[in-house]
Amino acid sequence: MLSRGAAGWRALRWAGRRPRARGLRASPRAWSAMPSWVIDRYGSNEVLRFTRDMVFPIIHFPNEVIIRVHAASLNPIDLSMRSGYGATALNMKRDPLKLKTEETEFPLTLGRDVSGVVMECGLSVSYFKPGDEVWAAIPPWKQGTLSEFVVASGNEVSFKPKCLSHIEAAALPYVGLTAWSALNQVGGLNKSNCSGKRVLILGASGGVGTFAVQLVKAWGAHVTAVCSHDASTLVKKLGADDVIDYKSGNLEEQLKTLPLFDFILDNVGGSTEKWALDLLKKWSGATYVTLVTPFLINMDKLGVADGMLQTGVTVGSKTLKHLLKGVHYRWAFFMPSGPSLDEIAELVDSGKQDACPARTGTLSVLEYSTR
C-alpha cells in the first residue's frame, strides 16, 4: 500500500465533544458553530487558536458535499500558509471579483487532507450519499480540514481505500495528488508507458518522494532515489532499485556515473536544477519536472500582475532553453482531483505497494475523536 514518509513530524491528537444528531440538511439554524483550529493573522505557531465557535460550513453550490472529519494530516504547505506564503494568489482565488465587503481571509482554517464520512450532499451530487466513507485533499484557497466539518466539491472527493483506517487514509491525499500531478498530468507517465524507463527522484524520502517511488515502481520503472543514509532502508523497502546518499560525496558526480535517465522528479530545487537536466537522455522525450517553483513567491513579492508576468517569463525562457538542448522542462503543482484519488485508492487496495502510511510512525496526523 502507498506509504508517506515525512520524518520528524510530531503526531497530534485532539478531542471534541460528541456532536448532536442532525437531519439531512445542515443549516445555520440547525448547527451554527463547530470546533476548529484557526489563525487570525499570519505568523509562527502562536497564531494558532482553538475555538468551538467556527462558523459551520454551508453548501453553496449543488456539486458540494459536507464531510465530517475523522482525521486530517499536516503538510509543509500548512506551515507555509500559516506564515503567509501564497496569500496574494490564494486571496485572488478566494474572491476573484472582489465581492466581499471585508478584504480578509480570517479566521482561516488550515489543513488540506481529510478522511471522514459524508454528512450532506448538494442537489447535483449523485456519486456520493450521506454515510459514505471518503477522503480528499482540499485546495489551499478553501477553508481547511482542521475542523469538525469541511465542505468540498464532489469532484475533489473519492471513496476511501477499504484497507486503510481514517488515520492512515488522511496521510495520503495531498502528497499523493502532488506526486500524481507531477508524474502523470505534467510528466505524462502512466502504467502503459512507464515500463523499463529510468526514473530519478531527488528528495525521495519526503512525503511526495516516497509516494512517487512507489507509484513509478508500480508502473514498471527502474527507480533511482536520492535521500539521506538514515532514510535509505525505508526507500529501498518502498521499491527503489538504486539509493544514493546525497551526503556521502558529490551528488552530481555520483549520478554522472549512472546511465542517463528518461525522467527526473525534483522535490529539492535550488542548485540541483543547474546540473540535473544534464542527466537526461537528449532528444528522446526525456523530461525534468520540478515541484519547487517561484510562482506564489513572485506574486507575494511583486503583486498579481507583475508576479504572473515574471513567472511567465521565467518558465518560458527555461522551457525554451532546455528544449533547444533536447529535453523537456516542466513545473508541477498540487491539483485537487477526485478521479485521480480513485486511481490512487485502487492502487492502495490492490496491495501493490508496501507499508500502510501511518504505520511507519513518521506522519503528523490529527484525529477528531467523538469519545
Side-chain angles (χ1 to χ4, degrees), residues 117-190:
V117 175
V118 174
M119 295 298 292
E120 181 182 359
C121 298
L123 296 177
S124 70
V125 176
S126 59
Y127 194 57
F128 303 103
K129 64 181 184 303
D132 286 340
E133 293 191 333
V134 296
W135 64 344
I138 309 300
W141 54 86
K142 294 185 178 181
Q143 288 287 13
T145 61
L146 304 187
S147 292
E148 186 182 7
F149 295 89
V150 67
V151 168
S153 298
N155 57 10
E156 297 165 353
V157 180
S158 171
F159 291 106
K160 178 181 74 68
K162 295 181 178 61
C163 70
L164 299 185
S165 68
H166 284 295
I167 295 177
E168 291 170 332
L172 279 174
Y174 185 82
V175 295
L177 287 174
T178 303
W180 191 276
S181 167
L183 296 170
N184 178 264
Q185 296 177 318
V186 175
L189 298 181
N190 56 60

Coordinates of all heavy atoms in Angstrom, one line a residue, residues 117-190:
V117 N -16.6 11.0 6.8 CA -17.9 10.5 6.3 C -18.7 11.6 5.8 O -18.8 12.7 6.3 CB -18.6 9.8 7.5 CG1 -20.0 9.4 7.1 CG2 -17.8 8.6 8.0
V118 N -19.3 11.4 4.6 CA -20.2 12.4 4.0 C -21.5 12.6 4.9 O -22.1 11.6 5.3 CB -20.7 11.9 2.6 CG1 -21.7 12.9 2.0 CG2 -19.5 11.8 1.7
M119 N -21.7 13.8 5.2 CA -22.9 14.2 6.0 C -24.1 14.7 5.2 O -25.2 14.5 5.5 CB -22.5 15.2 7.1 CG -21.5 14.6 8.1 SD -22.2 13.2 9.1 CE -23.4 14.0 10.0
E120 N -23.7 15.5 4.1 CA -24.8 16.1 3.3 C -24.2 16.3 1.9 O -23.1 16.5 1.7 CB -25.1 17.5 3.9 CG -26.2 18.2 3.1 CD -26.6 19.6 3.7 OE1 -26.0 19.9 4.7 OE2 -27.4 20.2 3.1
C121 N -25.1 16.2 1.0 CA -24.8 16.3 -0.5 C -25.6 17.4 -1.1 O -26.8 17.6 -0.8 CB -25.0 15.0 -1.2 SG -24.0 13.6 -0.6
G122 N -25.0 18.1 -2.0 CA -25.7 19.1 -2.8 C -26.6 18.4 -3.8 O -26.5 17.2 -4.0
L123 N -27.5 19.2 -4.4 CA -28.6 18.6 -5.2 C -28.1 17.9 -6.5 O -28.7 17.0 -7.0 CB -29.6 19.7 -5.6 CG -30.3 20.4 -4.5 CD1 -31.2 21.5 -5.0 CD2 -31.2 19.3 -3.7
S124 N -26.9 18.3 -7.0 CA -26.4 17.6 -8.2 C -25.4 16.5 -7.9 O -24.9 15.9 -8.9 CB -25.7 18.7 -9.1 OG -24.5 19.1 -8.5
V125 N -25.2 16.2 -6.7 CA -24.2 15.1 -6.3 C -25.0 13.8 -6.3 O -25.9 13.6 -5.5 CB -23.6 15.4 -4.9 CG1 -22.7 14.2 -4.5 CG2 -22.8 16.7 -4.9
S126 N -24.6 12.9 -7.2 CA -25.2 11.6 -7.3 C -24.3 10.5 -7.0 O -24.7 9.3 -6.7 CB -25.8 11.4 -8.7 OG -24.8 11.5 -9.7
Y127 N -23.0 10.8 -7.0 CA -22.0 9.7 -6.9 C -21.8 9.4 -5.4 O -21.4 8.3 -5.1 CB -20.6 10.2 -7.4 CG -19.6 9.2 -7.6 CD1 -19.8 8.0 -8.4 CD2 -18.3 9.3 -7.1 CE1 -18.9 7.1 -8.6 CE2 -17.4 8.3 -7.3 CZ -17.6 7.2 -8.0 OH -16.7 6.3 -8.2
F128 N -22.1 10.3 -4.5 CA -21.9 10.1 -3.0 C -23.3 10.2 -2.4 O -24.2 10.9 -2.9 CB -20.9 11.0 -2.4 CG -19.6 11.0 -3.1 CD1 -19.2 12.0 -3.9 CD2 -18.7 10.0 -2.8 CE1 -17.9 11.9 -4.5 CE2 -17.4 9.9 -3.4 CZ -17.1 10.9 -4.2
K129 N -23.4 9.6 -1.2 CA -24.6 9.8 -0.3 C -24.1 9.9 1.1 O -23.0 9.5 1.5 CB -25.5 8.6 -0.5 CG -24.9 7.3 -0.1 CD -25.9 6.1 -0.3 CE -25.4 4.8 0.2 NZ -24.1 4.4 -0.3
P130 N -25.0 10.5 2.0 CA -24.6 10.5 3.4 C -24.3 9.2 4.0 O -24.9 8.2 3.7 CB -25.9 11.1 4.0 CG -26.5 11.9 2.9 CD -26.2 11.1 1.7
G131 N -23.2 9.1 4.7 CA -22.7 7.9 5.3 C -21.5 7.3 4.6 O -20.9 6.4 5.2
D132 N -21.3 7.7 3.4 CA -20.1 7.2 2.6 C -18.8 7.6 3.3 O -18.6 8.7 3.7 CB -20.1 7.7 1.2 CG -21.2 7.0 0.3 OD1 -21.6 5.9 0.7 OD2 -21.5 7.6 -0.7
E133 N -17.9 6.6 3.4 CA -16.5 7.0 3.9 C -15.7 7.5 2.7 O -15.5 6.8 1.7 CB -15.9 5.7 4.5 CG -16.6 5.3 5.8 CD -15.8 4.2 6.5 OE1 -15.0 3.5 5.9 OE2 -15.9 4.2 7.8
V134 N -15.1 8.7 2.8 CA -14.4 9.3 1.7 C -13.1 9.9 2.2 O -12.9 10.0 3.4 CB -15.3 10.4 1.1 CG1 -16.6 9.8 0.5 CG2 -15.6 11.5 2.2
W135 N -12.3 10.3 1.2 CA -11.1 11.0 1.5 C -10.9 12.1 0.4 O -11.5 12.0 -0.6 CB -9.8 10.1 1.6 CG -9.4 9.4 0.4 CD1 -10.2 9.2 -0.8 CD2 -8.2 8.8 0.1 NE1 -9.5 8.5 -1.7 CE2 -8.3 8.2 -1.2 CE3 -7.0 8.6 0.8 CZ2 -7.2 7.5 -1.8 CZ3 -6.0 7.9 0.3 CH2 -6.1 7.3 -1.0
A136 N -10.1 13.1 0.7 CA -10.0 14.2 -0.2 C -8.8 15.1 0.2 O -8.3 15.0 1.4 CB -11.2 15.1 -0.2
A137 N -8.3 15.9 -0.7 CA -7.4 17.0 -0.5 C -8.0 18.3 -0.9 O -8.4 18.4 -2.0 CB -6.1 16.7 -1.2
I138 N -8.2 19.1 0.1 CA -9.0 20.4 -0.1 C -8.0 21.4 -0.6 O -6.9 21.6 -0.1 CB -9.6 20.9 1.2 CG1 -10.4 19.8 1.9 CG2 -10.5 22.1 1.0 CD1 -11.6 19.2 1.0
P139 N -8.4 22.1 -1.7 CA -7.5 23.2 -2.3 C -7.1 24.2 -1.2 O -7.9 24.5 -0.3 CB -8.3 23.8 -3.4 CG -9.3 22.7 -3.8 CD -9.6 22.0 -2.5
P140 N -5.9 24.8 -1.3 CA -5.5 25.7 -0.3 C -6.2 27.0 -0.2 O -6.1 27.8 0.7 CB -4.0 26.0 -0.6 CG -3.8 25.6 -2.1 CD -4.8 24.5 -2.3
W141 N -7.0 27.4 -1.3 CA -7.8 28.6 -1.2 C -9.1 28.4 -0.5 O -9.9 29.3 -0.3 CB -8.1 29.1 -2.6 CG -8.7 28.2 -3.6 CD1 -10.0 27.9 -3.8 CD2 -8.0 27.3 -4.5 NE1 -10.2 27.0 -4.7 CE2 -8.9 26.6 -5.2 CE3 -6.6 27.1 -4.8 CZ2 -8.6 25.6 -6.2 CZ3 -6.3 26.2 -5.8 CH2 -7.3 25.5 -6.4
K142 N -9.4 27.2 -0.1 CA -10.7 26.9 0.7 C -10.4 26.7 2.2 O -9.2 26.5 2.6 CB -11.3 25.6 0.1 CG -11.8 25.7 -1.3 CD -12.6 24.5 -1.7 CE -13.2 24.6 -3.1 NZ -13.9 23.4 -3.5
Q143 N -11.4 26.9 3.0 CA -11.2 26.6 4.4 C -10.8 25.1 4.6 O -11.3 24.2 3.9 CB -12.5 26.8 5.2 CG -12.9 28.3 5.3 CD -12.0 29.0 6.3 OE1 -11.0 28.5 6.8 NE2 -12.4 30.2 6.7
G144 N -9.9 24.9 5.5 CA -9.2 23.6 5.6 C -9.9 22.6 6.5 O -11.0 22.7 6.9
T145 N -9.2 21.5 6.8 CA -9.7 20.3 7.4 C -9.5 20.2 8.9 O -9.9 19.2 9.5 CB -9.1 19.1 6.7 OG1 -7.7 19.1 6.9 CG2 -9.5 19.1 5.2
L146 N -8.8 21.1 9.5 CA -8.6 21.0 11.0 C -9.8 21.5 11.7 O -9.8 22.4 12.6 CB -7.4 21.8 11.4 CG -6.1 21.5 10.6 CD1 -4.9 22.2 11.2 CD2 -5.8 20.0 10.7
S147 N -11.0 20.9 11.4 CA -12.3 21.3 11.9 C -13.1 20.0 12.1 O -12.7 19.0 11.6 CB -13.0 22.3 11.0 OG -12.4 23.5 10.9
E148 N -14.2 20.2 12.7 CA -15.1 19.0 12.8 C -15.8 18.7 11.5 O -16.1 17.5 11.2 CB -16.2 19.3 13.8 CG -17.1 18.1 14.1 CD -18.2 18.5 15.1 OE1 -18.4 19.7 15.5 OE2 -18.9 17.5 15.5
F149 N -16.1 19.7 10.6 CA -16.7 19.5 9.3 C -16.0 20.4 8.3 O -15.4 21.4 8.6 CB -18.2 19.9 9.3 CG -19.0 19.0 10.2 CD1 -19.2 19.3 11.6 CD2 -19.6 17.9 9.7 CE1 -20.0 18.5 12.4 CE2 -20.4 17.1 10.6 CZ -20.6 17.4 11.9
V150 N -16.0 19.9 7.0 CA -15.4 20.7 5.9 C -16.3 20.5 4.7 O -16.9 19.5 4.5 CB -13.9 20.2 5.7 CG1 -13.9 18.8 5.2 CG2 -13.2 21.2 4.8
V151 N -16.3 21.5 3.8 CA -17.0 21.5 2.6 C -16.0 21.2 1.5 O -14.9 21.8 1.4 CB -17.8 22.8 2.3 CG1 -18.3 22.8 0.9 CG2 -19.0 22.9 3.2
A152 N -16.4 20.3 0.5 CA -15.5 20.0 -0.6 C -16.4 19.9 -1.9 O -17.6 19.5 -1.7 CB -14.7 18.8 -0.4
S153 N -15.9 20.2 -3.0 CA -16.6 19.9 -4.3 C -16.6 18.4 -4.5 O -15.6 17.7 -4.1 CB -15.9 20.6 -5.5 OG -15.9 22.0 -5.3
G154 N -17.7 17.9 -5.1 CA -17.8 16.5 -5.3 C -16.7 15.9 -6.2 O -16.2 14.8 -6.0
N155 N -16.2 16.7 -7.1 CA -15.1 16.3 -7.9 C -13.7 16.3 -7.3 O -12.7 16.0 -7.9 CB -15.0 17.1 -9.3 CG -14.9 18.5 -9.0 OD1 -14.6 19.0 -7.9 ND2 -15.1 19.3 -10.1
E156 N -13.7 16.7 -6.0 CA -12.4 16.7 -5.2 C -12.4 15.5 -4.3 O -11.4 15.2 -3.6 CB -12.3 17.9 -4.4 CG -12.2 19.2 -5.2 CD -12.4 20.5 -4.4 OE1 -12.7 20.4 -3.2 OE2 -12.2 21.6 -5.0
V157 N -13.5 14.7 -4.2 CA -13.7 13.7 -3.2 C -13.6 12.3 -3.9 O -14.0 12.1 -5.0 CB -15.0 13.9 -2.5 CG1 -15.2 12.8 -1.4 CG2 -15.0 15.3 -1.8
S158 N -13.2 11.3 -3.1 CA -13.1 9.9 -3.6 C -13.5 9.0 -2.4 O -13.4 9.4 -1.3 CB -11.7 9.6 -4.1 OG -11.6 8.2 -4.4
F159 N -13.9 7.8 -2.8 CA -14.2 6.8 -1.7 C -12.8 6.4 -1.1 O -11.9 6.1 -1.8 CB -14.9 5.6 -2.3 CG -16.3 5.8 -2.7 CD1 -16.6 5.9 -4.1 CD2 -17.3 6.0 -1.8 CE1 -17.9 6.2 -4.5 CE2 -18.6 6.3 -2.2 CZ -18.9 6.3 -3.5
K160 N -12.8 6.4 0.2 CA -11.6 6.0 1.0 C -11.2 4.5 0.7 O -12.1 3.7 0.6 CB -11.9 6.1 2.5 CG -10.7 5.7 3.4 CD -11.1 5.9 4.9 CE -12.0 4.8 5.3 NZ -11.3 3.4 5.3
P161 N -9.9 4.3 0.6 CA -9.5 2.9 0.4 C -10.0 2.0 1.5 O -9.9 2.4 2.7 CB -8.0 3.0 0.4 CG -7.7 4.4 0.0 CD -8.8 5.2 0.5
K162 N -10.5 0.9 1.2 CA -11.1 0.0 2.2 C -10.1 -0.6 3.2 O -10.5 -0.8 4.3 CB -11.9 -1.2 1.5 CG -13.0 -0.7 0.6 CD -13.7 -1.9 0.0 CE -14.9 -1.5 -0.8 NZ -14.6 -0.6 -1.9
C163 N -8.9 -0.7 2.7 CA -7.9 -1.3 3.6 C -7.3 -0.4 4.6 O -6.5 -0.8 5.5 CB -6.8 -2.0 2.8 SG -5.7 -0.8 1.9
L164 N -7.6 0.9 4.5 CA -7.0 1.9 5.4 C -8.0 2.4 6.4 O -9.1 2.6 6.1 CB -6.5 3.1 4.6 CG -5.4 2.9 3.5 CD1 -4.9 4.2 2.9 CD2 -4.2 2.1 4.1
S165 N -7.5 2.7 7.6 CA -8.3 3.4 8.6 C -8.3 4.8 8.2 O -7.6 5.3 7.3 CB -7.6 3.2 10.0 OG -6.4 4.0 10.0
H166 N -9.2 5.6 8.9 CA -9.3 7.0 8.6 C -7.9 7.7 8.9 O -7.5 8.6 8.1 CB -10.4 7.7 9.5 CG -11.7 7.4 9.0 ND1 -12.2 7.8 7.7 CD2 -12.8 6.7 9.5 CE1 -13.5 7.5 7.6 NE2 -13.8 6.8 8.6
I167 N -7.2 7.3 10.0 CA -5.9 7.9 10.3 C -4.9 7.7 9.2 O -4.2 8.6 8.7 CB -5.4 7.4 11.6 CG1 -6.4 7.9 12.8 CG2 -4.0 8.0 11.9 CD1 -6.0 7.4 14.1
E168 N -4.9 6.4 8.7 CA -4.0 6.1 7.6 C -4.3 6.8 6.3 O -3.5 7.3 5.6 CB -3.9 4.6 7.4 CG -3.3 3.8 8.6 CD -3.6 2.3 8.5 OE1 -4.6 1.9 7.9 OE2 -2.7 1.6 9.0
A169 N -5.6 6.8 6.0 CA -6.1 7.5 4.8 C -5.8 8.9 4.8 O -5.5 9.5 3.7 CB -7.6 7.2 4.6
A170 N -5.9 9.6 5.9 CA -5.7 11.0 6.0 C -4.2 11.4 5.7 O -3.9 12.6 5.4 CB -6.1 11.6 7.3
A171 N -3.3 10.5 5.7 CA -1.9 10.8 5.4 C -1.6 10.9 3.9 O -0.5 11.3 3.6 CB -1.0 9.7 6.0
L172 N -2.5 10.5 3.0 CA -2.1 10.3 1.6 C -2.6 11.4 0.6 O -1.9 11.7 -0.3 CB -2.6 9.0 1.1 CG -1.6 7.8 1.5 CD1 -2.3 6.5 1.1 CD2 -0.3 7.9 0.8
P173 N -3.8 11.9 0.7 CA -4.3 12.6 -0.5 C -3.5 13.8 -1.0 O -3.3 13.9 -2.2 CB -5.7 13.2 0.1 CG -6.1 12.1 1.1 CD -4.8 11.8 1.8
Y174 N -3.0 14.7 -0.1 CA -2.3 15.9 -0.6 C -0.9 15.4 -1.3 O -0.7 15.9 -2.4 CB -2.0 16.9 0.5 CG -1.4 18.1 0.0 CD1 -2.1 19.1 -0.6 CD2 0.0 18.3 0.1 CE1 -1.6 20.3 -1.0 CE2 0.6 19.5 -0.4 CZ -0.2 20.5 -1.0 OH 0.4 21.6 -1.4
V175 N -0.1 14.6 -0.6 CA 1.1 14.2 -1.2 C 0.9 13.3 -2.4 O 1.6 13.4 -3.4 CB 2.1 13.5 -0.2 CG1 2.5 14.5 0.9 CG2 1.4 12.3 0.4
G176 N -0.1 12.5 -2.3 CA -0.5 11.6 -3.4 C -0.8 12.3 -4.7 O -0.4 12.0 -5.8
L177 N -1.7 13.3 -4.5 CA -2.1 14.1 -5.7 C -1.0 15.0 -6.2 O -1.0 15.3 -7.4 CB -3.4 15.0 -5.3 CG -4.7 14.2 -5.2 CD1 -5.8 15.1 -4.6 CD2 -5.1 13.5 -6.5
T178 N -0.1 15.5 -5.3 CA 1.0 16.3 -5.8 C 1.9 15.5 -6.6 O 2.4 15.9 -7.7 CB 1.8 16.9 -4.6 OG1 0.9 17.7 -3.8 CG2 2.9 17.8 -5.0
A179 N 2.2 14.3 -6.2 CA 3.1 13.3 -7.0 C 2.4 12.9 -8.2 O 3.0 12.9 -9.3 CB 3.4 12.1 -6.1
W180 N 1.1 12.7 -8.2 CA 0.3 12.3 -9.4 C 0.3 13.4 -10.4 O 0.5 13.2 -11.6 CB -1.1 11.9 -9.0 CG -1.9 11.3 -10.1 CD1 -2.6 11.9 -11.1 CD2 -2.1 9.9 -10.2 NE1 -3.2 11.0 -11.9 CE2 -2.9 9.7 -11.4 CE3 -1.7 8.7 -9.6 CZ2 -3.3 8.5 -11.9 CZ3 -2.1 7.5 -10.0 CH2 -2.9 7.4 -11.2
S181 N 0.2 14.6 -9.9 CA 0.2 15.8 -10.8 C 1.6 15.9 -11.6 O 1.6 16.0 -12.8 CB 0.0 17.1 -10.1 OG 0.3 18.2 -10.8
A182 N 2.7 15.7 -10.8 CA 4.0 15.8 -11.4 C 4.3 14.7 -12.3 O 4.9 14.9 -13.4 CB 5.0 15.9 -10.3
L183 N 4.0 13.5 -12.0 CA 4.3 12.3 -12.8 C 3.4 12.1 -13.9 O 3.9 11.8 -15.1 CB 4.4 11.1 -11.9 CG 5.4 11.1 -10.7 CD1 5.2 9.9 -9.8 CD2 6.8 11.0 -11.3
N184 N 2.1 12.2 -13.7 CA 1.1 11.8 -14.7 C 0.6 13.0 -15.5 O 0.7 13.0 -16.7 CB 0.0 11.1 -14.0 CG -1.1 10.7 -15.0 OD1 -2.1 11.4 -15.1 ND2 -1.0 9.5 -15.6
Q185 N 0.0 14.0 -14.8 CA -0.6 15.1 -15.5 C 0.4 16.0 -16.2 O 0.1 16.5 -17.3 CB -1.5 15.8 -14.6 CG -2.7 14.9 -14.1 CD -3.6 15.6 -13.1 OE1 -3.1 16.4 -12.2 NE2 -4.9 15.5 -13.2
V186 N 1.5 16.2 -15.6 CA 2.5 17.1 -16.1 C 3.6 16.3 -16.9 O 4.0 16.6 -18.0 CB 3.2 18.0 -15.1 CG1 4.3 18.8 -15.7 CG2 2.1 18.9 -14.5
G187 N 4.1 15.2 -16.2 CA 5.2 14.4 -16.8 C 4.7 13.4 -17.8 O 5.6 12.9 -18.6
G188 N 3.5 13.1 -17.9 CA 3.0 12.2 -18.9 C 3.2 10.7 -18.6 O 3.0 9.9 -19.5
L189 N 3.7 10.3 -17.5 CA 3.9 8.9 -17.2 C 2.6 8.2 -16.7 O 1.8 8.8 -16.1 CB 5.0 8.8 -16.0 CG 6.4 9.3 -16.3 CD1 7.3 9.1 -15.1 CD2 7.0 8.7 -17.5
N190 N 2.5 7.0 -17.1 CA 1.4 6.2 -16.7 C 1.8 4.7 -16.7 O 2.9 4.4 -17.1 CB 0.1 6.5 -17.5 CG 0.4 6.3 -19.0 OD1 0.7 5.2 -19.4 ND2 0.2 7.4 -19.8

